[in-house]
């Protein structure tokens, strides 16, 4: 297995090019199941999760080519409707094929994704909404067995909680349903917005894009001619590198980024003392030499994203004062805390709230990644720790960050990928 060896640097400088968003790519790849044509996708990130979902599509009978961020996906040859445990267990976002397969074939079997490191990750809201659309769903031997022999019918769905992939699943199911679906309490993440925009551009009437109430007029079972599209920039990757600039007090510029997707993140970094110069596609961070403490509560978009919580917790160890970080979405998303404490961070956990006393000098040691965003928090801490830090189990990192160590080396970080 690979690990990363990193050590502190005086400062970083230069530009980092942001890749396409993993969390936009996954639903959009699943959406190709609805296509009657070969679909061209560009600006896909070269990360493990994308390769996993493309492999799942080939297991279902699609033919896929994926090279240098561009994919050509031909699902006209799809003939299987079972997403098996071996693939789904490696990536729970495979649940995104449930809606599309059911809408296209009238039946499907998808392995229950199970929980993951950060929490139980239930999918009850996905299943309840599909049942409302006329699906019959049974759980048998760890599989979701869903049937809708007459196809799905449009209806009014009200999500009890805001769910990103739940909203995406139902948007895709509604795109092929008979009649109109109204989704209330829909997720408004930019990744959900792009899914709606691509479907709209491919002829599916969708109203309310970007709001909590979506109205989708289904095609009545007809497959869709999906126009080619390019994945939006990854706002979480971008936020992670902005934290790298803030924690090392370095001025760096991000290119191919969408500043308007980072409102809450930029606001919190400004509260901590950073300033920014932005254009339509770039962000330059002008970091503070005196990092201020911060209060953060993670919530759904456009509020502060849970996927940036771990990175800000690492940054807060370098703030002068007490920061309070509350995680409201997932029940176990503080596993980076114990590793940061081993590096010398002064953090107290009380239920869903972390209190971070800064500034503490961190020292490098062997640490273990536990989940995708926790891994990036450990990398950020390593950039300001004395001595060397070895970050193990970075397969977590490789799920969602495209060439992280190359991008950081490109701005002067001392970081190497080595074999255990
Ligand atoms: C998406 O996960 C993202 N993954 C996650 O990013 C992100 O952290 C999360 O949204 C929240 O923004 C992808 O887009 C592939 P949810 P998702 O359904 O859709 C509860 C990363 O690091 N819930 O919005 O699985 C759930 O338990 C990953 O890139 C139910 O109770 O998250 C959670 O408390 C990690 N029942 C809350 O809703 C359901 O049926 C939000 O979950 C579904 C969700």
């Amino acid at each position: 297995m690979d690990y990363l060896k990193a050590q502190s640097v005086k400062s970083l400088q230069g530009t980092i090019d942001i890749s396409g968003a993993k969390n936009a790519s996954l639903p959009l790849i699943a959406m190709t199941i609805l296509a009657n044509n070969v679909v061209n996708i560009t600006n896909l990130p070269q990360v493990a999760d994308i390769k996993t979902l493309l492999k799942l599509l080939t297991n279902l009978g699609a033919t896929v080519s994926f090279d240098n961020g561009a994919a050509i996906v031909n699902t006209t040859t799809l003939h299987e409707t079972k997403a098996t445990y071996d693939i789904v267990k490696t990536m729970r976002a495979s649940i995104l094929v449930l809606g599309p397969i059911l809408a296209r074939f009238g039946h499907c079997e998808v392995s229950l994704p199970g929980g993951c490191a950060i929490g139980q990750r239930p999918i009850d809201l996905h299943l309840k909404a599909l049942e409302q659309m006329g699906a019959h769903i049974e759980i048998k031997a760890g599989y979701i067995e869903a049937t809708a022999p007459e196809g799905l019918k449009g209806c009014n769905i009200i999500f009890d909680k805001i769910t990103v992939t739940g909203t995406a699943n139902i948007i895709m199911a509604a795109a092929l349903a008979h009649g109109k679906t109204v989704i209330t309490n829909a997720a408004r993440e930019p990744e959900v917005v792009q899914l709606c925009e691509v479907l709209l551009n491919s002829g599916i009437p969708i109203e309310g894009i970007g709001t909590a109430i979506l109205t989708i007029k289904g095609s009545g079972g007809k497959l869709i001619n999906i126009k080619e599209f390019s994945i939006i920039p990854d706002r979480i990757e971008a936020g992670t590198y902005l934290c790298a600039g803030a924690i090392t007090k370095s001025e760096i510029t991000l290119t191919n980024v969408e500043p308007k997707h980072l409102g809450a993140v930029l606001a919190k970094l400004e509260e901590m003392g950073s300033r920014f110069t932005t254009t339509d596609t770039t962000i330059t961070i002008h970091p503070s030499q005196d990092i201020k403490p911060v209060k953060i509560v993670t919530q759904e978009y456009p509020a502060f994203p849970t996927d940036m919580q771990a990175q800000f917790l690492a940054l807060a160890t370098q703030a002068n004062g007490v920061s309070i970080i509350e995680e409201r979405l997932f029940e176990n998303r503080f596993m980076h805390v114990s590793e940061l404490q081993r590096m010398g961070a002064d953090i107290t956990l009380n239920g869903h709230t972390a209190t971070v006393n800064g500034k503490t000098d961190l020292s490098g040691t062997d640490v273990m990644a536990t989940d995708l965003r926790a891994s990036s928090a450990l990398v950020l801490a390593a950039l300001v720790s004395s001595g060397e830090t070895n970050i193990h189990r970075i397969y977590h990192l490789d799920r969602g960050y495209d060439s992280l160590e190359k991008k950081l080396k490109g701005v002067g970080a001392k970081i190497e990928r080595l074999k255990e």
Side-chain angles (χ1 to χ4, degrees):
M1 275 200 278
D2 295 355
Y3 72 98
L4 291 179
K5 180 183 286 294
Q7 49 195 346
S8 66
V9 283
K10 200 170 155 336
S11 74
L12 306 175
Q13 67 175 44
T15 63
I16 295 179
D17 197 47
I18 297 303
S19 301
K22 164 181 83 83
N23 290 349
S25 305
L26 295 171
L28 285 164
I29 290 169
M31 175 200 64
T32 62
I33 293 168
L34 306 176
N36 61 14
N37 63 309
V38 177
V39 183
N40 289 294
I41 310 173
T42 53
N43 199 38
L44 282 163
Q46 321 252 356
V47 297
D49 275 7
I50 301 310
K51 293 170 191 149
T52 302
L53 190 55
L54 291 173
K55 175 151 176 24
L56 172 52
L57 287 192
T58 51
N59 290 357
L60 297 174
T63 39
V64 170
S65 83
F66 179 39
D67 183 39
N68 199 18
I72 301 171
V73 183
N74 178 358
T75 56
T76 59
T77 52
L78 277 183
H79 49 75
E80 289 298 323
T81 60
K82 183 168 188 174
T84 53
Y85 175 68
D86 57 319
I87 279 233
V88 176
K89 77 173 179 341
T90 61
M91 188 191 62
R92 59 178 315 288
S94 310
I95 194 65
L96 283 162
V97 304
L98 174 63
I101 297 176
L102 181 59
R104 174 170 175 157
F105 294 102
H107 63 90
C108 78
E109 307 79 43
V110 175
S111 167
L112 277 169
C116 77
I118 64 176
Q120 221 271 323
R121 312 292 292 275
I123 53 162
D124 55 311
L125 301 177
H126 300 233
L127 303 184
K128 185 177 151 203
L130 288 171
E131 284 176 326
Q132 278 183 262
M133 297 177 78
H136 174 70
I137 290 179
E138 283 185 57
I139 306 292
K140 273 191 198 155
Y143 277 78
I144 302 156
E145 298 203 355
T147 52
E150 282 81 49
L152 296 168
K153 60 184 188 322
C155 65
N156 290 331
I157 306 275
I158 302 177
F159 276 122
D160 297 344
K161 289 175 84 167
I162 295 173
T163 161
V164 173
T165 50
T167 301
N169 239 332
I170 300 310
I171 289 168
M172 294 188 280
L176 249 51
H178 298 265
K180 181 174 83 169
T181 298
V182 178
I183 304 174
T184 303
N185 204 20
R188 295 185 283 158
E189 274 68 3
E191 297 76 27
V192 173
V193 168
Q194 183 170 30
L195 175 65
C196 292
E197 287 171 343
V198 170
L199 285 167
L200 177 66
N201 191 38
S202 303
I204 299 293
I206 301 181
E207 290 168 7
I209 296 177
T211 76
I213 300 179
L214 294 171
T215 303
I216 300 139
K217 288 206 179 65
S219 70
K222 278 200 302 300
L223 295 179
I224 307 165
N225 186 294
I226 293 178
K227 301 283 177 291
E228 68 178 60
F229 55 88
S230 179
I231 302 292
I232 57 171
D234 193 318
R235 60 192 168 98
I236 305 301
E237 182 196 22
T240 303
Y241 291 124
L242 290 175
C243 286
I247 203 169
T248 59
K249 301 176 181 171
S250 312
E251 183 168 291
I252 56 174
T253 294
L254 307 187
T255 55
N256 284 325
V257 64
E258 178 52 87
K260 68 177 192 302
H261 292 163
L262 281 149
V265 172
L266 295 177
K268 285 299 170 188
L269 285 171
E270 281 172 348
E271 274 182 44
M272 298 178 84
S274 293
R275 294 293 173 266
F276 298 94
T277 309
T278 61
T279 68
D280 285 352
T281 60
T282 65
I283 301 177
T284 300
I285 179 169
H286 309 290
S288 165
Q289 297 310 310
D290 161 27
I291 301 173
K292 295 177 182 53
V294 71
K295 281 190 174 37
I296 283 173
V297 178
T298 65
Q299 294 174 89
E300 295 82 3
Y301 191 89
F304 187 90
T306 175
D307 293 350
M308 285 300 306
Q309 178 259 103
Q311 299 91 314
F312 270 75
L313 203 144
L315 176 57
T317 68
Q318 303 309 299
N320 294 305
V322 179
S323 296
I324 310 284
I325 296 178
E326 185 185 345
E327 172 55 59
R328 282 218 181 137
L329 271 85
F330 293 113
E331 60 270 32
N332 189 31
R333 202 168 197 178
F334 280 130
M335 284 176 297
H336 37 288
V337 168
S338 52
E339 295 303 276
L340 291 170
Q341 286 168 331
R342 293 183 53 248
M343 298 173 81
D346 178 357
I347 306 168
T348 313
L349 275 186
N350 180 2
H352 290 262
T353 301
T355 302
V356 187
N357 293 314
K359 170 179 182 326
T360 49
D361 292 334
L362 302 179
S363 47
T365 181
D366 283 285
V367 290
M368 193 173 71
T370 49
D371 60 271
L372 170 56
R373 306 305 173 183
S375 320
S376 64
L378 298 177
V379 173
L380 295 175
L383 296 179
V384 291
S385 296
S386 61
E388 283 183 345
T389 304
N390 297 317
I391 302 164
H392 302 277
R393 300 194 183 181
I394 55 166
Y395 55 84
H396 291 291
L397 200 74
D398 294 338
R399 294 191 49 179
Y401 286 96
D402 185 346
S403 320
L404 176 131
E405 74 275 9
K406 280 198 201 97
K407 293 187 179 185
L408 283 173
K409 273 168 82 167
V411 289
K414 288 202 184 93
I415 184 167
E416 296 294 339
R417 177 181 288 255
L418 303 167
K419 292 270 179 231
E420 300 277 9

